[in-house]
């Protein structure tokens, strides 16, 4: 998960959508808490012990009784941070170990220093992340569709690592519960007119994350969601 930041980030909460990640979420939360002491995991109707593992590792856990989809889980996490904490920032962060804590900490630092309301992670701003050719093509198509529909000029439309300042988060109301929520959140954040930037991040494609939904088929499903929703 990358090198740890030495200074704890106390003005931000990690928001972690959680579905059937019992095998890895404990390690993900433990490693993240060395830098981000405040983490809320939204268990989206998991049938395994995901919620228990996250709670044991030190996260606050909010549970959906049934599976509603990642967009709904993100919205629940955003609502929790806004209503139950005084955090200045929230960071959307995946439960499967793909995202690097050091990237998230650097993105919060940049939001503070540059007075940014949103920092979008992008795997295409440097050469560290190496998706296969077909996946890269599908992701680039998703970027094109997203940029056409949102008016923003992003290089990576479906990257779940984002820093969102409180005033921007208050204007997010996700209705797309499946993977198309990634375009919806970009559109809603773009409409705020608040300052934003992209930041290079390193996504770790592991056998586990590929099996969990980072497959080419899942990328095609994202496009279908976008075009036919």
């Amino acid at each position: 998960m990358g090198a740890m930041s030495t200074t704890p980030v106390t003005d931000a909460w990690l928001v972690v959508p959680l579905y059937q990640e019992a095998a890895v979420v404990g390690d993900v939360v433990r490693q993240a808490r060395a830098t981000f002491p405040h983490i809320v995991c939204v268990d989206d109707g998991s049938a395994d012990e995901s919620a228990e593992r996250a709670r044991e590792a030190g996260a606050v856990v909010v549970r959906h009784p049934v599976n509603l989809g990642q967009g709904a889980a993100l919205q629940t996490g955003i609502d929790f941070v806004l209503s139950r904490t005084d955090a200045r920032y929230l960071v959307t962060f995946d439960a499967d170990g793909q995202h690097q804590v050091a990237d998230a900490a650097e993105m919060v630092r940049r939001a503070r220093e540059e007075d940014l309301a949103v920092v979008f992670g992008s795997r295409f701003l440097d050469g560290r992340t190496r998706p296969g050719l077909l996946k890269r093509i599908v992701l680039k198509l998703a970027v094109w569709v997203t940029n056409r529909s949102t008016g923003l000029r992003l290089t990576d439309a479906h990257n779940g690592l984002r820093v969102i300042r409180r005033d921007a988060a208050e204007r997010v109301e996700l209705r797309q519960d499946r993977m198309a929520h990634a375009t919806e959140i970009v559109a809603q954040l773009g409409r705020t007119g608040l300052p934003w930037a992209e930041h290079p991040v390193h996504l770790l494609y592991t056998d586990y994350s590929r099996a969990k939904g980072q497959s080419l088929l899942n990328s095609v499903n994202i496009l279908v969601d976008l075009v036919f929703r």
Side-chain angles (χ1 to χ4, degrees):
M1 295 214 19
M4 293 294 105
S5 171
T6 53
T7 306
V9 179
T10 56
D11 58 348
W13 275 69
L14 290 194
V15 173
V16 183
L18 184 55
Y19 181 66
Q20 310 284 59
E21 303 281 12
V24 295
V25 69
D27 287 340
V28 170
V29 170
R30 267 187 293 275
Q31 290 183 48
R33 285 194 72 233
T35 302
F36 289 89
H38 306 305
I39 301 175
V40 58
C41 291
V42 181
D43 180 50
D44 190 31
S46 297
D48 64 5
E49 295 184 342
S50 291
E52 290 80 359
R53 298 288 89 80
R55 194 175 287 112
E56 288 167 0
V60 175
V61 177
V62 179
R63 299 195 75 166
H64 289 167
V66 295
N67 180 251
L68 297 175
Q70 192 175 22
L74 269 180
Q75 188 63 54
T76 295
I78 291 168
D79 291 344
F80 174 89
V81 173
L82 292 176
S83 64
R84 303 285 292 275
T85 84
D86 60 358
R88 179 159 169 76
Y89 302 96
L90 62 88
V91 183
T92 64
F93 196 88
D94 286 354
D96 61 6
Q98 277 201 116
H99 292 157
Q100 310 241 34
V101 176
D103 285 339
E106 183 66 14
M107 289 164 68
V108 173
R109 181 198 62 75
R110 188 170 170 193
R112 284 195 214 106
E113 292 185 358
E114 299 180 25
D115 195 25
L116 298 170
V118 188
V119 182
F120 296 102
S122 173
R123 78 197 92 187
F124 295 123
L125 288 178
D126 62 22
R128 290 178 295 166
T129 305
R130 302 188 179 279
L133 177 62
L134 282 173
K135 185 173 179 66
R136 180 180 289 269
I137 290 168
V138 171
L139 286 166
K140 289 293 188 182
L141 269 172
V143 168
W144 182 81
V145 171
T146 298
N147 287 348
R148 294 259 307 185
S149 61
T150 66
L152 297 186
R153 304 250 75 75
L154 297 182
T155 62
D156 190 355
H158 280 263
N159 195 315
L161 183 53
R162 317 171 190 89
V163 172
I164 308 174
R165 200 171 63 197
R166 176 175 281 269
D167 55 338
E170 287 168 346
R171 303 194 213 178
V172 172
E173 188 176 344
L174 298 176
R175 295 185 179 89
Q176 291 285 337
D177 292 340
R178 295 185 297 163
M179 294 310 291
H181 75 271
T183 294
E184 188 181 30
I185 195 169
V186 170
Q188 292 181 3
L189 291 169
R191 280 198 295 270
T192 68
L194 294 166
W196 62 274
E198 282 191 297
H199 188 83
V201 301
H202 181 200
L203 265 61
L204 295 176
Y205 292 119
T206 64
D207 291 341
Y208 177 83
S209 70
R210 287 190 181 97
K212 281 294 297 184
Q214 291 302 323
S215 65
L216 181 63
L217 177 61
N218 190 60
S219 301
V220 173
N221 286 339
I222 289 171
L223 279 184
V224 171
D225 256 12
L226 287 171
V227 176
F228 298 108
R229 70 178 190 269

